[in-house]
mmCIF file of all heavy atoms in Angstrom:
data_model
loop_
_atom_site.group_PDB
_atom_site.id
_atom_site.type_symbol
_atom_site.label_atom_id
_atom_site.label_comp_id
_atom_site.label_asym_id
_atom_site.label_seq_id
_atom_site.Cartn_x
_atom_site.Cartn_y
_atom_site.Cartn_z
ATOM 1 N N ILE A 1 -18.314 3.560 0.536
ATOM 2 C CA ILE A 1 -17.370 3.018 1.509
ATOM 3 C C ILE A 1 -17.692 1.541 1.635
ATOM 4 O O ILE A 1 -18.801 1.075 2.120
ATOM 5 C CB ILE A 1 -17.522 3.684 2.897
ATOM 6 C CG1 ILE A 1 -17.327 5.212 2.787
ATOM 7 C CG2 ILE A 1 -16.556 3.019 3.885
ATOM 8 C CD1 ILE A 1 -15.961 5.635 2.393
ATOM 9 N N ARG A 2 -16.731 0.733 1.268
ATOM 10 C CA ARG A 2 -16.946 -0.747 1.272
ATOM 11 C C ARG A 2 -16.933 -1.273 2.665
ATOM 12 O O ARG A 2 -16.256 -0.724 3.566
ATOM 13 C CB ARG A 2 -15.789 -1.408 0.472
ATOM 14 C CG ARG A 2 -15.771 -1.059 -1.014
ATOM 15 C CD ARG A 2 -16.567 -1.980 -1.819
ATOM 16 N NE ARG A 2 -16.207 -1.865 -3.273
ATOM 17 C CZ ARG A 2 -15.334 -2.640 -3.910
ATOM 18 N NH1 ARG A 2 -14.667 -3.536 -3.213
ATOM 19 N NH2 ARG A 2 -15.090 -2.415 -5.159
ATOM 20 N N PRO A 3 -17.546 -2.422 2.915
ATOM 21 C CA PRO A 3 -17.481 -3.097 4.197
ATOM 22 C C PRO A 3 -16.055 -3.762 4.352
ATOM 23 O O PRO A 3 -15.385 -3.979 3.308
ATOM 24 C CB PRO A 3 -18.511 -4.167 4.136
ATOM 25 C CG PRO A 3 -18.778 -4.445 2.684
ATOM 26 C CD PRO A 3 -18.541 -3.085 2.036
ATOM 27 N N LEU A 4 -15.666 -3.953 5.533
ATOM 28 C CA LEU A 4 -14.339 -4.565 5.788
ATOM 29 C C LEU A 4 -14.222 -6.007 5.106
ATOM 30 O O LEU A 4 -13.181 -6.446 4.728
ATOM 31 C CB LEU A 4 -14.066 -4.753 7.241
ATOM 32 C CG LEU A 4 -13.729 -3.441 7.956
ATOM 33 C CD1 LEU A 4 -13.889 -3.588 9.479
ATOM 34 C CD2 LEU A 4 -12.317 -3.017 7.644
ATOM 35 N N SER A 5 -15.387 -6.604 4.910
ATOM 36 C CA SER A 5 -15.408 -7.909 4.329
ATOM 37 C C SER A 5 -15.219 -7.921 2.812
ATOM 38 O O SER A 5 -14.959 -8.925 2.160
ATOM 39 C CB SER A 5 -16.684 -8.624 4.661
ATOM 40 O OG SER A 5 -17.835 -7.887 4.149
ATOM 41 N N ASN A 6 -15.292 -6.729 2.196
ATOM 42 C CA ASN A 6 -15.143 -6.619 0.771
ATOM 43 C C ASN A 6 -14.374 -5.357 0.406
ATOM 44 O O ASN A 6 -14.923 -4.461 -0.256
ATOM 45 C CB ASN A 6 -16.524 -6.555 0.105
ATOM 46 C CG ASN A 6 -16.553 -6.473 -1.405
ATOM 47 O OD1 ASN A 6 -15.549 -6.990 -2.043
ATOM 48 N ND2 ASN A 6 -17.479 -5.833 -1.993
ATOM 49 N N PRO A 7 -13.137 -5.258 0.740
ATOM 50 C CA PRO A 7 -12.350 -4.050 0.565
ATOM 51 C C PRO A 7 -11.960 -3.843 -0.913
ATOM 52 O O PRO A 7 -11.983 -4.823 -1.687
ATOM 53 C CB PRO A 7 -11.116 -4.247 1.401
ATOM 54 C CG PRO A 7 -10.911 -5.744 1.420
ATOM 55 C CD PRO A 7 -12.315 -6.317 1.467
ATOM 56 N N ILE A 8 -11.653 -2.636 -1.260
ATOM 57 C CA ILE A 8 -11.078 -2.383 -2.593
ATOM 58 C C ILE A 8 -9.707 -3.006 -2.685
ATOM 59 O O ILE A 8 -9.327 -3.615 -3.677
ATOM 60 C CB ILE A 8 -11.051 -0.897 -2.826
ATOM 61 C CG1 ILE A 8 -12.436 -0.317 -3.007
ATOM 62 C CG2 ILE A 8 -10.236 -0.550 -4.097
ATOM 63 C CD1 ILE A 8 -12.563 1.212 -3.072
ATOM 64 N N LYS A 9 -8.948 -2.933 -1.575
ATOM 65 C CA LYS A 9 -7.676 -3.531 -1.479
ATOM 66 C C LYS A 9 -7.483 -3.996 -0.049
ATOM 67 O O LYS A 9 -7.832 -3.267 0.899
ATOM 68 C CB LYS A 9 -6.553 -2.561 -1.894
ATOM 69 C CG LYS A 9 -5.148 -3.077 -2.002
ATOM 70 C CD LYS A 9 -4.191 -2.072 -2.636
ATOM 71 C CE LYS A 9 -2.788 -2.670 -2.854
ATOM 72 N NZ LYS A 9 -2.064 -2.778 -1.639
ATOM 73 N N LYS A 10 -7.004 -5.160 0.143
ATOM 74 C CA LYS A 10 -6.950 -5.776 1.511
ATOM 75 C C LYS A 10 -5.955 -5.160 2.448
ATOM 76 O O LYS A 10 -6.023 -5.336 3.678
ATOM 77 C CB LYS A 10 -6.713 -7.276 1.452
ATOM 78 C CG LYS A 10 -5.346 -7.694 0.903
ATOM 79 C CD LYS A 10 -5.183 -9.207 0.819
ATOM 80 C CE LYS A 10 -3.828 -9.594 0.295
ATOM 81 N NZ LYS A 10 -2.670 -9.116 1.064
ATOM 82 N N ASP A 11 -5.015 -4.412 1.855
ATOM 83 C CA ASP A 11 -3.992 -3.747 2.686
ATOM 84 C C ASP A 11 -3.772 -2.341 2.062
ATOM 85 O O ASP A 11 -4.463 -1.896 1.153
ATOM 86 C CB ASP A 11 -2.715 -4.549 2.742
ATOM 87 C CG ASP A 11 -2.219 -4.951 1.396
ATOM 88 O OD1 ASP A 11 -2.689 -4.472 0.359
ATOM 89 O OD2 ASP A 11 -1.245 -5.791 1.285
ATOM 90 N N SER A 12 -2.789 -1.672 2.542
ATOM 91 C CA SER A 12 -2.555 -0.269 2.186
ATOM 92 C C SER A 12 -2.184 -0.042 0.720
ATOM 93 O O SER A 12 -1.465 -0.778 0.105
ATOM 94 C CB SER A 12 -1.492 0.378 3.080
ATOM 95 O OG SER A 12 -1.380 1.759 2.751
ATOM 96 N N HIS A 13 -2.762 1.052 0.185
ATOM 97 C CA HIS A 13 -2.459 1.520 -1.173
ATOM 98 C C HIS A 13 -1.140 2.305 -1.120
ATOM 99 O O HIS A 13 -0.522 2.619 -2.151
ATOM 100 C CB HIS A 13 -3.579 2.369 -1.747
ATOM 101 C CG HIS A 13 -3.771 3.629 -0.995
ATOM 102 N ND1 HIS A 13 -4.154 3.696 0.323
ATOM 103 C CD2 HIS A 13 -3.578 4.882 -1.355
ATOM 104 C CE1 HIS A 13 -4.217 4.902 0.749
ATOM 105 N NE2 HIS A 13 -3.891 5.710 -0.255
ATOM 106 N N LEU A 14 -0.814 2.810 0.084
ATOM 107 C CA LEU A 14 0.522 3.530 0.265
ATOM 108 C C LEU A 14 1.585 2.506 0.571
ATOM 109 O O LEU A 14 1.645 1.936 1.667
ATOM 110 C CB LEU A 14 0.383 4.482 1.437
ATOM 111 C CG LEU A 14 -0.686 5.630 1.204
ATOM 112 C CD1 LEU A 14 -0.797 6.488 2.465
ATOM 113 C CD2 LEU A 14 -0.370 6.473 0.033
ATOM 114 N N VAL A 15 2.416 2.319 -0.430
ATOM 115 C CA VAL A 15 3.420 1.242 -0.296
ATOM 116 C C VAL A 15 4.846 1.903 -0.223
ATOM 117 O O VAL A 15 5.178 2.626 -1.082
ATOM 118 C CB VAL A 15 3.380 0.240 -1.488
ATOM 119 C CG1 VAL A 15 4.413 -0.818 -1.333
ATOM 120 C CG2 VAL A 15 1.972 -0.339 -1.658
ATOM 121 N N ILE A 16 5.542 1.564 0.884
ATOM 122 C CA ILE A 16 6.920 2.131 1.042
ATOM 123 C C ILE A 16 7.882 1.154 0.393
ATOM 124 O O ILE A 16 7.942 -0.056 0.794
ATOM 125 C CB ILE A 16 7.235 2.276 2.503
ATOM 126 C CG1 ILE A 16 6.124 3.136 3.270
ATOM 127 C CG2 ILE A 16 8.607 2.905 2.685
ATOM 128 C CD1 ILE A 16 5.952 4.451 2.661
ATOM 129 N N LEU A 17 8.525 1.599 -0.641
ATOM 130 C CA LEU A 17 9.451 0.773 -1.432
ATOM 131 C C LEU A 17 10.919 1.060 -0.975
ATOM 132 O O LEU A 17 11.243 2.187 -0.665
ATOM 133 C CB LEU A 17 9.333 1.050 -2.904
ATOM 134 C CG LEU A 17 7.919 0.953 -3.573
ATOM 135 C CD1 LEU A 17 8.080 1.342 -4.988
ATOM 136 C CD2 LEU A 17 7.438 -0.456 -3.440
ATOM 137 N N ARG A 18 11.685 -0.020 -1.011
ATOM 138 C CA ARG A 18 13.153 0.196 -0.784
ATOM 139 C C ARG A 18 13.878 -0.631 -1.860
ATOM 140 O O ARG A 18 13.253 -1.426 -2.589
ATOM 141 C CB ARG A 18 13.559 -0.198 0.599
ATOM 142 C CG ARG A 18 12.876 0.636 1.727
ATOM 143 C CD ARG A 18 13.443 0.302 3.087
ATOM 144 N NE ARG A 18 12.622 0.957 4.153
ATOM 145 C CZ ARG A 18 12.891 2.136 4.598
ATOM 146 N NH1 ARG A 18 13.878 2.864 4.165
ATOM 147 N NH2 ARG A 18 12.147 2.633 5.577
ATOM 148 N N GLY A 19 15.153 -0.462 -1.932
ATOM 149 C CA GLY A 19 15.919 -1.211 -2.943
ATOM 150 C C GLY A 19 17.093 -0.330 -3.354
ATOM 151 O O GLY A 19 17.433 0.690 -2.716
ATOM 152 N N ASN A 20 17.872 -0.767 -4.410
ATOM 153 C CA ASN A 20 19.077 -0.088 -4.750
ATOM 154 C C ASN A 20 18.829 1.251 -5.425
ATOM 155 O O ASN A 20 19.748 2.080 -5.535
ATOM 156 C CB ASN A 20 19.948 -0.928 -5.623
ATOM 157 C CG ASN A 20 19.365 -1.239 -7.012
ATOM 158 O OD1 ASN A 20 18.276 -0.845 -7.295
ATOM 159 N ND2 ASN A 20 20.121 -1.976 -7.809
ATOM 160 N N LEU A 21 17.623 1.584 -5.668
ATOM 161 C CA LEU A 21 17.218 2.953 -6.137
ATOM 162 C C LEU A 21 16.682 3.862 -5.042
ATOM 163 O O LEU A 21 16.535 5.040 -5.191
ATOM 164 C CB LEU A 21 16.216 2.964 -7.264
ATOM 165 C CG LEU A 21 16.726 3.059 -8.696
ATOM 166 C CD1 LEU A 21 15.573 3.077 -9.683
ATOM 167 C CD2 LEU A 21 17.533 4.363 -8.876
ATOM 168 N N ALA A 22 16.357 3.245 -3.875
ATOM 169 C CA ALA A 22 15.674 3.950 -2.814
ATOM 170 C C ALA A 22 16.078 3.354 -1.439
ATOM 171 O O ALA A 22 15.236 2.844 -0.750
ATOM 172 C CB ALA A 22 14.222 3.947 -3.024
ATOM 173 N N ALA A 23 17.358 3.441 -1.089
ATOM 174 C CA ALA A 23 17.807 2.835 0.166
ATOM 175 C C ALA A 23 17.131 3.392 1.361
ATOM 176 O O ALA A 23 16.882 2.702 2.345
ATOM 177 C CB ALA A 23 19.348 3.012 0.275
ATOM 178 N N GLU A 24 16.757 4.692 1.289
ATOM 179 C CA GLU A 24 16.061 5.331 2.434
ATOM 180 C C GLU A 24 14.558 5.394 2.309
ATOM 181 O O GLU A 24 13.871 5.935 3.131
ATOM 182 C CB GLU A 24 16.624 6.745 2.646
ATOM 183 C CG GLU A 24 18.095 6.775 3.042
ATOM 184 C CD GLU A 24 18.641 8.201 3.048
ATOM 185 O OE1 GLU A 24 17.879 9.146 2.925
ATOM 186 O OE2 GLU A 24 19.905 8.307 3.099
ATOM 187 N N GLY A 25 14.078 4.795 1.200
ATOM 188 C CA GLY A 25 12.631 4.668 1.040
ATOM 189 C C GLY A 25 12.104 5.506 -0.046
ATOM 190 O O GLY A 25 12.650 6.481 -0.478
ATOM 191 N N ALA A 26 10.939 5.088 -0.630
ATOM 192 C CA ALA A 26 10.156 5.799 -1.647
ATOM 193 C C ALA A 26 8.720 5.472 -1.346
ATOM 194 O O ALA A 26 8.403 4.511 -0.708
ATOM 195 C CB ALA A 26 10.568 5.413 -3.053
ATOM 196 N N VAL A 27 7.753 6.278 -1.915
ATOM 197 C CA VAL A 27 6.397 6.119 -1.643
ATOM 198 C C VAL A 27 5.633 5.885 -2.930
ATOM 199 O O VAL A 27 5.648 6.693 -3.825
ATOM 200 C CB VAL A 27 5.743 7.326 -0.908
ATOM 201 C CG1 VAL A 27 4.273 7.102 -0.618
ATOM 202 C CG2 VAL A 27 6.544 7.627 0.394
#
């Protein structure tokens, strides 16, 4: 478990995408 000062990724790995292929969202 990394410290907050050295994360694996600074924000979520779960990204909600939208666009003309996913107007209501995709994960």
Side-chain angles (χ1 to χ4, degrees):
I1 304 295
R2 295 271 194 94
L4 285 164
S5 60
N6 182 30
I8 292 172
K9 190 169 184 284
K10 65 180 178 59
D11 51 11
S12 181
H13 66 298
L14 298 176
V15 181
I16 308 303
L17 305 176
R18 299 185 189 272
N20 64 358
L21 259 181
E24 296 173 11
V27 182

